[in-house]
Amino acid sequence: MPDDSLSLIGPRLKAWREKRGMTLAELSAATGISSSTLSRLEAGKRAPNLELVVPIARSLRLELDDIVPRAAPDPRVRRTTSRIGHTQYESLSPESSAVQTYKVTFPANEPGVVAVPEPKVHDGQEWLYVLSGRLRLVLGDQDLTLGPGEAAEFDTRIPHWLAATGRGPAEVLSIFSKEGKRIHLRARPTP
């Protein structure tokens, strides 16, 4: 906890006391702490300690987490890049997130070579958005081509397969469940 966060406890206690509609005298009677001590604590002229804060929290029906300011965690995502075959996955969400977000780069096809779809099936939902290039999506009996700015969402229990089509690679923003992450990022490429 940063050093200056203790100075925020008094004003938080005052705000909660006022929110509960209690006077200093009522809180003093409920806690056994003198009104002058409570007033000094709320004004930041008395250092908070557990002997003061715990009975106040109980009287105001609060958890200590409601009173002690929490430091905001670093919101930046530690990005990692992995490859499955020639497809590159760059993580855009924390490992602990319920849904996983990736920037996926599907490599360009070799000139004159048409990729043969090998659809896969797994539990979950997938949502994707084409950032650049052209993406071929085979979904069940549909064979679709998506361009920049187009999106798709589908149940991954339907056989599906994705690859770049056209002259260059396809960059896609992809969001899927933990199960989808396991399938997409840990599957071994077919020889």
Side-chain angles (χ1 to χ4, degrees):
M1 177 179 347
D3 294 340
D4 63 335
S5 65
L6 289 177
S7 66
L8 300 175
I9 291 176
R12 281 178 171 233
L13 288 173
K14 181 177 182 178
W16 277 108
R17 177 181 59 77
E18 290 173 345
K19 186 175 182 178
R20 299 283 194 254
M22 291 181 84
T23 64
L24 279 173
E26 290 169 333
L27 185 57
S28 174
T31 61
I33 300 169
S34 72
S35 293
S36 64
T37 298
L38 291 171
S39 177
R40 289 193 334 259
L41 179 63
E42 289 181 356
K45 296 178 181 173
R46 167 88 192 242
N49 60 44
L50 288 176
E51 290 82 23
L52 294 174
V53 174
V54 170
I56 295 169
R58 283 189 186 131
S59 295
L60 295 175
R61 300 178 317 279
L62 300 171
E63 298 292 326
L64 287 177
D65 286 347
D66 296 326
I67 299 168
V68 178
R70 294 179 220 168
D74 186 344
R76 294 174 293 185
V77 174
R78 194 178 128 242
R79 291 167 45 170
T80 58
T81 301
S82 58
R83 287 187 177 275
I84 303 295
H86 296 290
T87 303
Q88 178 177 298
Y89 294 84
E90 186 175 353
S91 65
L92 301 176
S93 59
E95 178 73 26
S96 60
S97 181
V99 291
Q100 298 294 297
T101 305
Y102 289 88
K103 178 181 159 197
V104 183
T105 305
F106 295 94
N109 290 323
E110 293 180 33
V113 175
V114 177
V116 178
E118 295 179 27
K120 303 285 186 222
V121 188
H122 56 87
D123 287 333
Q125 283 285 122
E126 184 162 353
W127 176 89
L128 56 88
Y129 176 82
V130 180
L131 298 167
S132 67
R134 300 187 63 70
L135 180 74
R136 182 176 174 200
L137 166 62
V138 175
L139 181 64
D141 60 358
Q142 301 177 70
D143 195 334
L144 308 166
T145 300
L146 303 170
E150 290 188 281
E153 181 178 10
F154 54 91
D155 183 332
T156 56
R157 293 174 295 182
I158 299 169
H160 61 283
W161 178 83
L162 305 162
T165 187
R167 296 178 183 230
E171 291 184 320
V172 173
L173 181 63
S174 181
I175 301 174
F176 41 75
S177 63
K178 283 277 196 185
E179 183 64 21
K181 176 188 175 192
R182 187 181 68 74
I183 296 299
H184 284 275
L185 299 183
R186 298 201 177 115
R188 291 197 173 127
T190 307

